[in-house]
């Protein structure tokens, strides 16, 4: 038994995520966690909401709520939707937790002790009537390039020109509308990542088994241009982790907070403390401190490609810089983007299907299966309603659902709702066992390597083997002349339903649970020995005929949904 620490990139708090976000981190992380648990390994699977920063403040202001209340509510919403998708986190934490606050301050203090934090004086726009420095997004004015009246301090959304807040004509605060803005000096802390560049480069080079998508992005940030830059880790904001040097005040940094990208990854560690403090486990340091038992932990992170620089460089710099025995990531699985029907998912324009909407249309297994079997691994992938309808109807309804339905109904009508006795294996069964064994071993290899699409293809092929066996051996025909052989075929097929449930559970947990319940067994042991696994349910063992596992998506539904999700969600 091995120990697996698994984290998914933590979703930002300001709103419900779309299916592209889901398949880029949380869903494949859940697949891996479920698989590792099914193989008997000890798993700690963590995720959280990423709650600090300007976008959270803006979203809360738009909702007319204090930002802390807004974040608490949105955390609950995201947690509920995660449950709807059966994401099996051991804990779903919050980056605004007291645990993360304390740990973030401790990391910063330690990095300062190690000489890896420097103070930098910068000029920034200050709003006199708001009494605060304004992030670029809080400043609007007229674009000097195109005359657009709502250009932001960092960029004009109309002509896309990159701007400095001081370029804007009639610049004003979006909080108060005040034009009483001035440029003032402000002091910030920088993490000296450049001093860790060689260490990080050697570490990345040692990860020959990582996906090229991961290492190529890391190397680009390490080497392009002037190479890895020192990074500001504080901001003049109210909402965030207050800047402290460990437990102590940080002179000159009063009223400032850590930048969201400094505290968010530290939440991976704090989340384990939250898990313990919530009474769900104990000894969290066993997972995170190599001096306290985490030496034998394998740590795998899942994320979209936009998050790779922070996970390959900034967060490892934070950890390495402390020279404390924190667990470093062993494998980073990154994903390309899932596009939506010829374009991109768009949160602002409501283009594409969002997680809450998906669950209103169909149970989570339909989405889980399609998304995982089309995971954007080697390149971007695309969701189309035609493809969704075709693949769900074929793989889930025609192949898996039909197998379960035919076998159980035939047995009930010709024998009984007990596993039938009689008959012995022939050449067809021996061949089936050989074929199943080959494919199940391949499935395990792909799952262990987090090759999501290949694993899905192998699972589909395993389902197909069962259907082909039924088709070729036709127990409904055999029954007329040789009921003993038909009984053997159906006994094997009923046992295959249990095996399918076990193998399929990481992808489609609800359907798997239905199949196991229908077989009236609690034995969900992995089919390491396929021949033995096919004898798990003995003759005389009672089963029941389940409701249809999957229904088909109709053409009318497909057309209606395509029109409904084409854009303009408010
Ligand atoms: Zn412009």
């Amino acid at each position: 038994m091995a120990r697996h620490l698994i984290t998914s990139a933590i979703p930002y708090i300001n709103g419900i995520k779309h299916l592209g976000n889901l398949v880029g981190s949380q869903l494949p992380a859940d697949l891996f966690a479920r698989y590792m648990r099914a193989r008997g390994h000890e798993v700690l699977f963590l995720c959280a909401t990423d709650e600090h920063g300007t976008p959270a403040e803006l979203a809360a202001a738009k909702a007319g709520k204090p930002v802390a209340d807004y974040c608490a509510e949105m955390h609950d919403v995201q947690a509920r939707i995660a449950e709807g998708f059966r994401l099996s986190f051991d804990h779903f934490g919050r980056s605004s937790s007291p645990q993360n606050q304390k740990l973030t301050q401790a990391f910063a203090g330690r990095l300062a002790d190690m000489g890896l934090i420097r103070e930098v004086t910068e000029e920034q726009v200050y709003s006199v009537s708001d009494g605060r420095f304004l992030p670029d997004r809080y400043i609007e004015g007229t674009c000097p390039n195109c005359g657009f009246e709502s250009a932001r301090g960092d960029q004009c959304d109309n002509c896309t020109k990159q701007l400095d807040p001081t370029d804007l004509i009639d610049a004003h605060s979006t909080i108060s509308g005040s034009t009483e803005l001035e440029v003032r000096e402000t002091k910030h802390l920088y993490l000296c990542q450049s001093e860790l560049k060689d260490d990080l480069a050697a570490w990345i080079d040692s990860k020959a088994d990582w996906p090229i998508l991961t290492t190529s992005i890391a190397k680009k940030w390490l080497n392009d241009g002037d190479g890895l830059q020192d990074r500001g880790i504080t901001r003049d904001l109210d909402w965030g982790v207050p800047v402290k040097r460990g437990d102590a005040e940080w002179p000159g940094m009063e009223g400032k907070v850590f930048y969201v990208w400094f505290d968010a990854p530290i939440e991976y560690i704090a989340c384990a403390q939250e898990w313990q403090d919530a009474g769900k486990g104990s000894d969290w340091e066993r997972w995170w401190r190599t001096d306290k038992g985490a030496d034998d932990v394998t740590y795998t992170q899942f994320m979209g490609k936009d998050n790779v620089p922070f996970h390959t460089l900034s967060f490892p710099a934070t950890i390495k810089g402390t020279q404390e025995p924190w667990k470093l990531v062993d494998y980073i699985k990154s994903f390309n983007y899932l596009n939506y029907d010829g374009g991109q998912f768009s949160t602002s324009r409501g283009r594409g299907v969002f997680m809450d909407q998906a669950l209103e249309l169909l149970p989570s297994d339909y989405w889980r299966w399609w998304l995982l079997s089309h995971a954007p691994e080697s390149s971007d992938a695309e969701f189309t309603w035609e493809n969704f309808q075709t693949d769900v109807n074929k793989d889930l309804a025609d192949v898996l659902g039909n197998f379960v339905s035919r076998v159980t109904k035939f047995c009930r009508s010709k024998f009984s709702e007990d596993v039938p006795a009689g008959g012995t294996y022939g050449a067809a069964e021996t061949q089936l066992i050989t074929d199943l064994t080959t494919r199940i071993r391949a499935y395990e290899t792909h799952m262990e390597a987090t090759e999501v699409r290949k694993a899905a293809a192998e699972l589909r092929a395993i389902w197909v083997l069962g259907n082909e066996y039924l088709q070729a051996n036709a127990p409904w025909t055999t029954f007329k002349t040789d009921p003993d052989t038909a009984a053997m075929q159906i006994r094997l097929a009923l046992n295959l339903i249990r095996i399918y449930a076990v193998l399929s559970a990481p992808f489609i947990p609800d359907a798997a649970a239905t199949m196991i319940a229908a077989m009236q067994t609690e034995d969900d042991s992995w089919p390491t020995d396929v021949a033995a696994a096919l004898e798990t349910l003995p003759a005389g063992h009672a089963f029941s005929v389940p409701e249809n596992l999957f229904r088909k998506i109709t053409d009318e539904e497909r057309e209606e949904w395509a029109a409904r999700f084409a854009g303009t969600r408010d």
Side-chain angles (χ1 to χ4, degrees):
M1 181 167 112
R3 299 176 61 221
H4 285 274
L5 174 62
I6 301 166
T7 59
S8 159
I10 66 177
Y12 199 68
I13 192 72
N14 67 340
I16 292 162
K17 305 302 147 191
H18 55 63
L19 295 180
N21 300 129
L22 178 64
V23 75
S25 56
Q26 289 179 324
L27 193 51
D30 181 70
L31 178 79
F32 189 60
R34 286 177 176 275
Y35 174 76
M36 286 301 172
R37 290 191 198 108
R39 300 308 310 276
H41 300 305
E42 191 183 357
V43 170
L44 183 63
F45 176 27
L46 302 174
C47 190
T49 38
D50 176 8
E51 304 192 357
H52 292 135
T54 312
E57 284 190 323
L58 287 171
K62 195 175 166 194
K65 289 175 181 165
V67 63
D69 294 357
Y70 171 82
C71 287
E73 281 173 30
M74 285 310 300
H75 173 82
D76 289 347
V77 168
Q78 293 206 19
R80 214 163 41 242
I81 295 171
E83 275 172 29
F85 275 94
R86 307 293 183 252
L87 301 175
S88 60
F89 308 133
D90 290 295
H91 190 70
F92 188 56
R94 302 182 59 187
S95 71
S96 64
S97 68
Q99 291 89 340
N100 192 40
Q101 187 163 123
K102 207 163 161 28
L103 197 60
T104 298
Q105 292 163 343
F107 265 98
R110 174 73 183 178
L111 290 165
D113 293 345
M114 302 306 289
L116 289 171
I117 302 270
R118 62 186 171 91
E119 295 186 1
V120 175
T121 300
E122 296 176 333
E123 293 195 326
Q124 202 180 334
V125 174
Y126 186 85
S127 167
V128 178
S129 46
D130 294 314
R132 59 178 288 176
F133 285 97
L134 296 179
D136 293 349
R137 296 192 202 202
Y138 278 157
I139 305 162
E140 278 188 9
T142 301
C143 173
N145 189 45
C146 74
F148 180 58
E149 287 179 6
S150 302
R152 281 198 326 242
D154 53 351
Q155 187 177 30
C156 173
D157 279 342
N158 189 50
C159 70
T160 74
K161 187 176 168 62
Q162 303 274 311
L163 298 169
D164 270 330
T166 47
D167 297 338
L168 295 172
I169 302 159
D170 297 329
H172 58 270
S173 157
T174 59
I175 303 171
S176 60
S178 168
T179 55
E180 201 183 339
L181 307 181
E182 46 188 68
V183 175
R184 288 193 186 178
E185 285 196 337
T186 180
K187 211 160 61 169
H188 283 295
L189 301 180
Y190 272 64
L191 174 61
C192 303
Q193 298 188 137
S194 56
E195 289 186 32
L196 295 160
K197 188 192 166 195
D198 292 345
D199 188 0
L200 289 167
W203 179 66
I204 298 288
D205 280 342
S206 75
K207 302 298 183 186
D209 62 325
W210 283 12
I212 288 169
L213 181 63
T214 304
T215 50
S216 63
I217 293 171
K219 286 178 180 171
K220 181 172 148 54
W221 281 63
L222 266 174
N223 302 321
D224 277 15
D226 296 328
L228 187 63
Q229 299 296 301
D230 294 349
R231 191 175 179 86
I233 60 163
T234 55
R235 287 290 184 272
D236 287 296
L237 288 178
D238 295 327
W239 177 238
V241 175
V243 175
K244 282 191 164 191
R245 187 168 176 158
D247 296 330
E249 295 304 320
W250 203 311
M253 300 305 294
E254 295 81 6
K256 297 174 197 281
V257 300
F258 286 107
Y259 184 30
V260 58
W261 258 110
F262 185 69
D263 78 73
I266 295 172
E267 168 62 14
Y268 289 140
I269 306 175
C271 192
Q273 298 183 36
E274 292 172 47
W275 163 78
Q276 174 172 322
D277 293 347
K280 298 172 179 171
S282 60
D283 227 355
W284 70 269
E285 289 181 313
R286 224 175 125 244
W287 292 96
W288 273 109
R289 295 280 300 211
T290 55
D291 59 336
K292 297 194 174 155
D295 250 345
D296 65 351
V297 168
T298 301
Y299 178 19
T300 309
Q301 294 178 339
F302 289 81
M303 69 198 64
K305 60 185 170 187
D306 50 329
N307 282 332
V308 168
F310 300 100
H311 288 79
T312 50
L313 303 170
S314 298
F315 186 43
T318 299
I319 287 187
K320 282 173 170 289
T322 64
Q323 294 188 27
E324 292 173 332
W326 296 106
K327 175 76 194 161
L328 272 169
V329 66
D330 293 298
Y331 192 82
I332 294 183
K333 175 71 179 184
S334 56
F335 290 87
N336 287 287
Y337 294 140
L338 179 71
N339 292 318
Y340 179 80
D341 224 352
Q344 290 180 332
F345 280 89
S346 167
T347 304
S348 58
R349 286 180 295 125
R351 193 166 185 285
V353 187
F354 288 73
M355 286 171 70
D356 55 339
Q357 300 167 325
L359 291 176
E360 286 163 16
L361 302 185
L362 289 167
S364 60
D365 279 350
Y366 293 71
W367 302 105
R368 288 178 64 104
W369 172 252
W370 190 91
L371 290 168
L372 289 166
S373 60
H374 295 77
E377 291 178 301
S378 53
S379 61
D380 289 351
E382 184 173 25
F383 178 93
T384 68
W385 287 102
E386 289 77 13
N387 187 278
F388 179 68
Q389 180 195 25
T390 303
D391 285 2
V392 160
N393 287 356
K394 181 169 61 86
D395 296 343
L396 297 182
D398 289 345
V399 179
L400 179 61
N402 189 41
F403 178 84
V404 172
S405 169
R406 276 169 102 181
V407 170
T408 52
K409 284 178 181 162
F410 175 76
C411 190
R412 179 174 64 185
S413 76
K414 298 299 181 193
F415 298 99
S416 69
E417 281 186 87
D418 294 327
V419 176
T424 50
Y425 285 172
E429 288 72 34
T430 310
Q431 185 61 49
L432 177 63
I433 289 168
T434 303
D435 293 344
L436 282 170
T437 302
T438 304
R439 289 212 172 271
I440 291 171
R441 294 297 93 84
Y443 178 63
E444 292 163 357
T445 302
H446 296 320
M447 286 294 253
E448 270 147 36
T450 65
E451 293 275 9
V452 177
R453 284 176 95 128
K454 286 182 184 169
E458 208 59 56
L459 181 59
R460 186 193 294 114
I462 291 167
W463 296 339
V464 167
L465 281 179
N467 271 319
E468 286 175 349
Y469 171 80
L470 276 193
Q471 212 51 45
N473 296 281
W476 39 90
T477 309
T478 316
F479 181 79
K480 292 170 191 158
T481 54
D482 185 357
D484 265 6
T485 296
M488 175 275 293
Q489 291 164 342
I490 287 299
R491 186 166 67 250
L492 178 147
L494 287 165
N495 273 284
L496 200 46
I497 291 174
R498 189 200 71 87
I499 293 176
Y500 283 172
V502 174
L503 295 175
S504 309
F507 279 91
I508 46 173
D510 286 352
T514 303
M515 289 156 75
I516 280 278
M519 292 304 104
Q520 297 185 17
T521 179
E522 286 171 8
D523 186 340
D524 58 357
S525 59
W526 195 262
T528 38
D529 177 338
V530 175
L534 284 170
E535 290 173 6
T536 305
L537 309 175
H541 177 90
F543 70 91
S544 46
V545 176
E547 293 288 309
N548 262 354
L549 284 183
F550 297 100
R551 70 171 185 85
K552 288 198 176 185
I553 297 166
T554 66
D555 291 346
E556 293 70 36
E557 285 174 321
R558 187 200 67 216
E559 285 163 19
E560 196 236 311
W561 295 341
R564 201 197 308 177
F565 297 102
T568 65
R569 170 192 170 106
D570 48 42

